[in-house]
Amino acid sequence: VEDGINGYCVTSGDAQAFAHRMADLIKDPNKRSVFGTKGREMVREKFSKKRLVEDITKLYEEAALPQ
């Protein structure tokens, strides 16, 4: 999650901060929509099949290099 871009980050155990952020989202349907859209875009970009194959291929290529 990118804080303020596709969601909110709060410190673990900080119930007050969590409640505040949830209240913000309850009051702002546009913000919920934007966060949802941005979150889906990030997942498609970072976790597409093409991206995963490229990353794994790169990992194998780097592992095969002489040390």
Side-chain angles (χ1 to χ4, degrees):
V1 172
E2 295 177 82
D3 191 38
I5 304 295
N6 59 10
Y8 288 128
C9 296
V10 296
T11 303
S12 178
D14 189 346
Q16 187 174 12
F18 178 75
H20 176 73
R21 291 301 193 181
M22 293 304 294
D24 287 347
L25 291 173
I26 289 168
K27 294 175 193 172
D28 192 345
N30 184 59
K31 178 66 77 176
R32 293 192 308 265
S33 179
V34 169
F35 280 179
T37 299
K38 294 290 186 183
R40 281 186 295 280
E41 288 173 2
M42 187 266 308
V43 168
R44 283 189 194 112
E45 177 184 312
K46 293 186 180 224
F47 301 105
S48 70
K49 289 178 188 176
K50 181 178 187 269
R51 172 76 184 265
L52 292 174
V53 168
E54 289 171 353
D55 289 350
I56 291 169
T57 300
K58 182 179 176 185
L59 179 67
Y60 280 123
E61 288 171 348
E62 290 173 357
L65 292 175
Q67 302 272 329

